Amino acid sequence: RCSPRRESASYPSAGQVRAAFLRFFQERHGHRRLPSAPVRPRGDPRLLFVNAGMNQFKPIFLGTVHPRSELSQHRRVVNSQKCVRAGGKHNDLEDVGRDTYHHTFFEMLGNWSFGDYFKEEACSMAWELLTEVYEIPRDRLYVTYFGGDSSLGLSADEECRDIWLRLGVPASHVLPFPLKDNFWEMGDTGPCGPCTEIHYDHVGGGRNAAALVNQGSPDVVEIWNLVFVQYSREVEGNLLPLPQHHVDTGMGLERLVTVLQNKRSNYDTDLFTPILDAIHKGCKGPRYQGLVGDADVRRVNMAYRVVADHVRTLCVCITDGIYPGCSGAELVLRRILRRAVRFCSEVLHAPPGLLGSLVPTVVDVLGDAYPELTKNADQIMDVINENEAAFLSSLERGRRIIERTVQQMESSTNFPVEVAWSLYGNLGFPLDLIDLMLEEKGISLDTAAFNELALEDAKRKTGGAQAGQQEDANTHLDVHSLAQLRSSNMPATDDSPKYAYTLGQHGQYEFSPCQATVLMLYRDQSLQKEVGEGQRCGVILDRTNFYAEQGGQASDQGYMIHLEQQDILFPVESVHLCGGYVIHEVTAVETLRAGDQVQLFVDEARRLACMTNHTATHLLNFALRHVLGDSTEQRGSHVTAERLRFDFDTKSPVTVEQLQQVEQVVQDVIQRNELVHMAEVPLALARRVQGLRAVDEEYPDPVRIVSLGVPVESVLTCDSEAAMQTSVELCCGTHLLQTGAVEDVTIVGERQLVKGISRVIAVTGRQAKQAREVGQCLAVEVESVSLRMKQRSTSISETQNLSKEVGQLTKVVASIAMPQWQRKELQTILKALQRTANTAIKKLELQQAEEKAQSLLAKHCNQPVIVDTVPADSLSILMKVVNQLCDKSPGSSVLLLSPQASGEVLCACQVSKNCIPVFSAADWATAVCTQMEGKAGGSPVVAKGSGSAKGMEGALTTALKFAQSKL
């Protein structure tokens, strides 16, 4: 039992409450206990974070789970899932801190049934746990059920109501509610169903609180939601019964602990109090008092709640591989971190570093339940501290940009919305802070125009996703079609022929053709027996040698032919795997029917290129870990025929030397021409291999192991460390049979995606050799420029030409495919050469300016106003002449014009400080350049501009008259 024991001051800890939930379902009701999935969603690009316990089970609800996967074996499951709700549809970010119950991170206790028990058992278990294990008084509990919806033709869920009544819940505590309260939907389409919620009355005392249920009262709160997944919402909006019924329940641990510890605020439970105490120690301000609204003077209590909540979210996200960044979930996490930093510094007046110092406390609170937090504590602190320092620097830079922009603005105008958007989007400058700073200066921001820019940006980001959804109509089987295939005993596609290739006697790869039968066609989300000419469809075969896109490897392309009409080719554009069925995307050039016999031909050149790049990816994974250390973990990869991409953990950017070492390790394995061993083994056995590389995804059982140079049997033997010395990975991809065929690997790109995660791009074979040749050619060119720079020309034009050449080379080196280590080396050299060129140009210009200034000084001899013409190659030189002249004659105000061969006249001026504010350089230059039909700008002290030569004589006269009128 894990009861609140209200008669004493002793209450169960959060850890005991969590453990009791898991133990109840595991031991009493035969549920399999699963660990929490990471908060980075697996295989769901539409989701920023895992925001509910059911996210990891979506393939089961959708019917797309692979029949051989571990996931497909689940019937009864229980776990405590880490969830983040910030950004996207479920976004609690701005509410956090304002009240005592909103959070960005929370724990969802859940039990699931996948085609096993349904409403009767789910309600009975929930009631038993709450009233007998947790000993919550029955009279404080209220249950709701779906009251029906006539527009959808759904009657009230009386079955659910009657179950609660049979369990002994009084009729006055069993309440019907409409669709918006008691009908759960995964999204606009897909699995859905009625739900029943259990609510708790904090006040109690024998009162009837039925009228307060679902009314937003803080006294009566929902603690558990039991969803009965029994329908699927179609694109047209109608509901169809699901072939299999499921139960999905979710109970927020924070709210449950609040009830069992007899508190009224989540922040008063032991999930938060240690963190709040640590904040108090760190900021040395007033203690947390739980105040909200107007009672919370200067928002101190709100700041405590924001920081406590946000640091939990940061710890969990960083541990699971989401780092503060510039897009998607990373951008949301950056905003969470920066919001916490602002409350630390602006409200709590804490010194920098408070946020990072709270990590050990968070680990103490959550580490037992989620041991990965303990393992990564140091890295979490480093990431938080580095990002905090970067944000404080960005704030200072943003403030300077706002100051400069305001100075340049005309009076009584709106702040430029493009500048505000740049500050917000690029520097991560908070919008409310921009508003506050502008308000202090009496300037406003056009909020409507700003929102329009935000809307355009959002449309740009979602455009690609929407296009992808349209393509899914013929290649991703819907839940009903999958159920129809299974109910008609349609076998899953045998795709083992994709591995049917051998090495010929001359070293060439030979791919066996594959004969197959069309089982079914799929078009516009429905199964069809026949598809007409010109129609795009998905073809489901009994067997295939085509590789379906999975495991980061792009799908095969090729064609199929009718055995009876061998002159007609059906091009296969892409291949996808769905629920064990392989779908070939085809545009029918003739009528295609179920039962047709076809022969399949893979595009061999594309397949071989993918095989080469996939094997090279494994080599790269091994080499990176070998060079950077065992803590280097894969974060993602993508293999195409053209190149490979590999993302991995790294504490700091990869150095030039490390890139060279990685390439050398790869080259060594290629030159040894190691055999690539592949075999299917039971998943449990594979996971025991020491040094095994695997990413966070569902693997089939049995699973395929790919081992370079060491037979699979050897790495599987007990206590074998063979896998520590080579590349051994779980992988369903297609690979070379020997490493020598890779020929060469060149890393042509490397950058940090966000702090802590780097991405490398590499090419193989002929492309790799070409990249190396390009690098050598560019190195020769850079050396040539470097030698010419050392000769130190005395001609400004020659030095400027060298500077342009350096600039052009810099652009080429940045964009062309070449070894990344060499790119970094050349960029360092070119940067130094550019500095040298700029310094040389500046020095030569100063020398030239000094000579011209000396000549003009002799001519005008310390006059209060000097107006003249002088030959100068650029506005930069002309300005320097003016500066030199004023330095040598401090009391003089100087304006010089310089006619150019193009017909343009350059203008530069400087006003003696003795004459300000009566005499303004900006006004002087404007008056003169206007005379020449040109423009000018500047400050009261210095200004510059240009105009046309035909007005130059009049301009000289204007310059003198203007100066005389001011002096």
Side-chain angles (χ1 to χ4, degrees):
R1 289 174 187 264
C2 184
S3 67
R5 299 204 296 278
R6 293 168 194 281
E7 70 282 353
S8 76
S10 176
Y11 299 110
S13 69
Q16 290 172 321
V17 173
R18 187 194 295 112
F21 181 91
L22 298 169
R23 192 166 55 245
F24 172 80
F25 283 100
Q26 186 178 14
E27 296 176 5
R28 287 201 196 182
H29 296 286
H31 286 60
R32 182 176 180 184
R33 180 176 170 180
L34 294 181
S36 170
V39 293
R40 178 185 283 281
R42 177 194 290 159
D44 192 345
R46 296 176 182 86
L47 207 57
L48 290 171
F49 303 95
V50 164
N51 56 23
M54 56 72 60
N55 289 158
Q56 65 175 310
F57 304 118
K58 275 176 80 170
I60 298 178
F61 295 134
L62 294 168
T64 58
V65 63
H66 195 287
R68 285 200 297 131
S69 73
E70 203 174 11
L71 199 59
S72 70
Q73 310 307 312
H74 297 327
R75 292 294 172 266
R76 296 182 175 207
V77 166
V78 63
N79 87 339
S80 176
Q81 174 62 49
K82 300 174 290 188
C83 298
V84 174
R85 288 189 178 171
K89 179 182 172 185
H90 299 288
N91 184 5
D92 292 345
L93 179 56
E94 291 307 318
D95 292 322
V96 172
R98 299 182 195 280
D99 53 41
T100 60
Y101 50 86
H102 272 102
H103 303 291
T104 52
F105 165 74
F106 63 96
E107 297 178 67
M108 184 75 86
L109 302 172
N111 61 289
W112 288 268
S113 162
F114 304 117
D116 190 341
Y117 60 81
F118 203 44
K119 295 180 184 179
E120 181 91 42
E121 297 91 333
C123 295
S124 175
M125 290 175 196
W127 194 248
E128 180 188 358
L129 175 66
L130 293 178
T131 61
E132 295 180 21
V133 177
Y134 291 139
E135 294 184 352
I136 296 175
R138 294 167 184 246
D139 63 346
R140 290 200 180 202
L141 296 174
Y142 295 79
V143 296
T144 66
Y145 67 94
F146 177 52
D149 190 283
S150 56
S151 67
L152 289 171
L154 293 175
S155 57
D157 191 356
E158 294 176 356
E159 178 191 2
C160 179
R161 179 199 64 190
D162 294 344
I163 290 167
W164 287 119
L165 294 174
R166 286 198 299 274
L167 287 168
V169 183
S172 61
H173 285 222
V174 182
L175 312 168
F177 279 90
L179 192 81
K180 73 179 181 67
D181 295 306
N182 277 76
F183 196 89
W184 174 88
E185 305 202 44
M186 184 187 289
D188 295 334
T189 60
C192 55
C195 62
T196 180
E197 296 177 342
I198 303 173
H199 295 249
Y200 175 79
D201 177 17
H202 277 287
V203 176
R207 70 170 186 167
N208 188 322
L212 296 176
V213 172
N214 276 339
Q215 299 304 310
S217 168
D219 294 335
V220 181
V221 296
E222 175 209 334
I223 56 172
W224 204 348
N225 187 9
L226 285 62
V227 179
F228 307 123
V229 186
Q230 61 188 94
Y231 300 108
S232 172
R233 187 178 287 282
E234 303 303 293
V235 176
E236 297 79 16
N238 58 311
L239 297 177
L240 293 177
L242 280 173
Q244 217 178 26
H245 291 175
H246 309 295
V247 173
D248 165 15
T249 87
M251 176 158 56
L253 175 68
E254 291 76 10
R255 283 193 185 181
L256 178 62
V257 173
T258 300
V259 168
L260 297 180
Q261 292 184 358
N262 201 24
K263 304 292 184 185
R264 292 300 298 274
S265 161
N266 297 353
Y267 291 92
D268 292 337
T269 68
D270 63 342
L271 286 166
F272 288 93
T273 49
I275 305 171
L276 296 169
D277 289 343
I279 295 170
H280 171 67
K281 284 181 188 172
C283 69
K284 298 181 173 59
R287 277 193 173 277
Y288 176 69
Q289 297 172 284
L291 302 174
V292 295
D294 293 340
D296 184 17
V297 180
R298 295 194 304 277
R299 302 193 303 166
V300 170
N301 290 266
M302 179 180 176
Y304 267 97
R305 289 188 289 270
V306 166
V307 175
D309 171 88
H310 288 8
V311 74
R312 283 165 35 107
T313 305
L314 287 162
C315 288
V316 168
C317 286
I318 293 167
T319 292
D320 287 350
I322 302 174
Y323 297 81
C326 296
S327 64
E330 285 78 10
L331 176 59
V332 175
L333 195 66
R334 184 174 80 168
R335 287 179 183 154
I336 288 170
L337 183 140
R338 293 183 169 195
R339 188 170 186 249
V341 169
R342 284 188 63 205
F343 273 98
C344 281
S345 61
E346 295 172 18
V347 181
L348 297 175
H349 306 294
L354 171 65
L355 202 58
S357 73
L358 301 175
V359 172
T361 309
V362 176
V363 172
D364 285 344
V365 174
L366 298 174
D368 287 344
Y370 309 107
E372 59 272 22
L373 286 167
T374 307
K375 179 184 171 186
N376 293 293
D378 289 342
Q379 184 196 14
I380 297 167
M381 281 192 282
D382 289 345
V383 171
I384 289 175
N385 288 332
E386 286 170 10
N387 277 274
E388 179 181 14
F391 177 48
L392 294 174
S393 171
S394 292
L395 280 183
E396 192 51 47
R397 196 154 70 249
R399 286 192 180 97
R400 287 200 301 269
I401 290 170
I402 290 173
E403 291 287 350
R404 189 169 67 247
T405 306
V406 169
Q407 282 176 9
Q408 293 171 356
M409 281 168 54
E410 296 174 16
S411 56
S412 67
T413 61
N414 279 334
F415 189 79
V417 70
E418 295 82 5
V419 176
W421 177 253
S422 176
L423 287 168
Y424 175 76
N426 298 327
L427 283 184
F429 207 87
L431 186 57
D432 60 334
L433 189 56
I434 296 173
D435 283 332
L436 189 65
M437 291 181 68
L438 294 179
E439 191 181 315
E440 289 168 358
K441 298 177 185 299
I443 295 169
S444 60
L445 175 67
D446 187 341
T447 310
F450 184 91
N451 290 339
E452 204 171 305
L453 284 176
L455 195 63
E456 285 173 15
D457 186 62
K459 281 180 183 172
R460 211 167 33 247
K461 287 173 180 171
T462 56
Q466 289 169 352
Q469 287 171 27
Q470 291 169 0
E471 290 172 12
D472 288 353
N474 296 326
T475 57
H476 287 71
L477 297 171
D478 65 285
V479 65
H480 303 292
S481 298
L482 279 161
Q484 190 180 330
L485 288 170
R486 286 167 185 152
S487 64
S488 60
N489 294 318
M490 193 77 73
T493 309
D494 173 14
D495 62 352
S496 59
K498 68 189 178 187
Y499 300 124
Y501 51 88
T502 56
L503 265 177
Q505 63 183 71
H506 301 298
Q508 80 283 8
Y509 278 81
E510 295 175 353
F511 297 89
S512 304
C514 176
Q515 192 171 313
T517 302
V518 177
L519 297 181
M520 195 62 72
L521 301 160
Y522 186 67
R523 186 169 183 274
D524 295 335
Q525 293 197 307
S526 72
L527 295 172
Q528 301 178 13
K529 294 277 188 181
E530 183 177 306
V531 166
E533 180 184 343
Q535 292 185 326
R536 199 180 186 90
C537 67
V539 181
I540 302 171
L541 304 169
D542 63 336
R543 61 199 305 269
T544 182
N545 59 348
F546 276 76
Y547 183 84
E549 182 170 358
Q550 57 181 320
Q553 181 178 326
S555 76
D556 280 336
Q557 292 178 350
Y559 63 92
M560 61 177 72
I561 61 170
H562 264 300
L563 285 183
E564 296 174 1
Q565 295 173 288
Q566 298 197 7
D567 57 334
I568 298 175
L569 273 61
F570 294 82
V572 177
E573 298 164 30
S574 66
V575 190
H576 302 268
L577 182 65
C578 194
Y581 298 100
V582 177
I583 300 100
H584 306 71
E585 189 176 18
V586 165
T587 300
V589 291
E590 287 281 341
T591 301
L592 203 54
R593 298 179 180 86
D596 283 350
Q597 298 291 303
V598 293
Q599 192 154 3
L600 308 177
F601 296 88
V602 167
D603 179 336
E604 295 182 4
R606 176 185 168 88
R607 161 67 82 83
L608 186 55
C610 284
M611 287 163 53
T612 302
N613 287 345
H614 205 148
T615 301
T617 304
H618 284 218
L619 288 171
L620 198 58
N621 189 1
F622 167 70
L624 284 164
R625 188 178 282 206
H626 182 80
V627 172
L628 302 180
D630 288 340
S631 62
T632 306
E633 293 288 344
Q634 177 177 342
R635 286 292 181 186
S637 66
H638 191 232
V639 174
T640 66
E642 293 74 34
R643 63 176 197 170
L644 64 96
R645 186 194 78 209
F646 191 81
D647 301 342
F648 57 97
D649 285 339
T650 175
K651 290 183 178 175
S652 56
V654 185
T655 65
V656 167
E657 292 74 19
Q658 287 170 331
L659 285 170
Q660 288 175 307
Q661 289 168 16
V662 167
E663 283 193 4
Q664 189 56 57
V665 171
V666 172
Q667 295 297 343
D668 290 346
V669 183
I670 292 171
Q671 286 166 14
R672 289 201 300 269
N673 198 20
E674 303 274 20
L675 288 174
V676 179
H677 301 273
M678 292 168 272
E680 281 197 347
V681 300
L683 184 58
L685 186 61
R687 282 188 167 146
R688 292 206 294 266
V689 174
Q690 292 186 57
L692 179 78
R693 279 98 172 153
V695 292
D696 175 46
E697 61 180 50
E698 278 292 322
Y699 289 101
D701 191 7
V703 68
R704 194 170 174 81
I705 286 186
V706 178
S707 172
L708 303 187
V710 179
V712 173
E713 312 85 71
S714 300
V715 301
L716 289 173
T717 55
C718 188
D719 297 326
S720 169
E721 294 188 1
M724 308 287 280
Q725 312 304 320
T726 186
S727 166
V728 180
E729 297 192 30
L730 301 183
C731 181
C732 60
T734 56
H735 286 270
L736 297 171
L737 301 176
Q738 290 180 249
T739 60
V742 176
E743 293 182 9
D744 195 3
V745 173
T746 301
I747 297 170
V748 294
E750 183 273 329
R751 65 185 178 94
Q752 279 203 305
L753 296 177
V754 291
K755 203 77 179 172
I757 297 183
S758 279
R759 167 172 291 175
V760 293
I761 307 289
V763 291
T764 59
R766 189 183 306 158
Q767 281 180 285
K769 286 181 170 57
Q770 191 176 348
R772 290 188 194 281
E773 289 167 6
V774 167
Q776 288 163 6
C777 290
L778 285 170
V780 170
E781 288 189 48
V782 171
E783 179 63 22
S784 169
V785 175
S786 184
L787 288 171
R788 281 179 282 148
M789 196 74 79
K790 286 174 183 174
Q791 292 169 5
R792 301 193 184 279
S793 171
T794 55
S795 163
I796 291 179
S797 61
E798 278 183 22
T799 311
Q800 284 173 334
N801 287 337
L802 272 175
S803 176
K804 284 178 187 173
E805 200 175 332
V806 170
Q808 288 163 353
L809 272 173
T810 300
K811 285 180 184 175
V812 173
V813 167
S815 60
I816 205 163
M818 64 180 292
Q820 181 67 8
W821 65 264
Q822 196 170 27
R823 188 194 319 277
K824 286 189 170 188
E825 275 191 352
L826 295 184
Q827 284 175 328
T828 303
I829 295 167
L830 288 166
K831 200 171 180 181
L833 288 175
Q834 194 68 71
R835 277 199 304 270
T836 302
N838 291 346
T839 303
I841 290 166
K842 191 175 180 181
K843 190 175 179 182
L844 290 169
E845 285 181 349
L846 280 170
Q847 287 174 0
Q848 197 178 98
E850 193 168 356
E851 292 167 8
K852 294 180 188 297
Q854 201 64 47
S855 172
L856 286 166
L857 189 62
K859 178 179 176 182
H860 293 282
C861 199
N862 295 329
Q863 291 178 11
V865 176
I866 300 173
V867 174
D868 209 335
T869 62
V870 65
D873 294 335
S874 67
L875 194 53
S876 170
I877 294 174
L878 188 63
M879 199 74 240
K880 286 182 175 68
V881 176
V882 170
N883 296 152
Q884 293 268 4
L885 202 48
C886 289
D887 286 347
K888 295 177 188 297
S889 179
S892 299
S893 295
V894 180
L895 184 144
L896 299 177
L897 300 180
S898 179
Q900 304 294 296
S902 62
E904 184 185 28
V905 176
L906 305 178
C907 171
C909 66
Q910 182 170 328
V911 169
S912 172
K913 289 177 183 175
N914 302 334
C915 304
I916 296 171
V918 179
F919 194 4
S920 162
D923 293 344
W924 196 13
T926 300
V928 172
C929 290
T930 302
Q931 181 71 34
M932 299 187 293
E933 299 176 356
K935 290 181 180 179
S939 69
V941 181
V942 293
K944 56 190 175 183
S946 63
S948 171
K950 61 184 177 184
M952 191 173 76
E953 289 305 320
L956 289 167
T957 306
T958 299
L960 274 170
K961 284 183 178 177
F962 185 93
Q964 287 164 357
S965 71
K966 299 294 181 183
L967 296 178

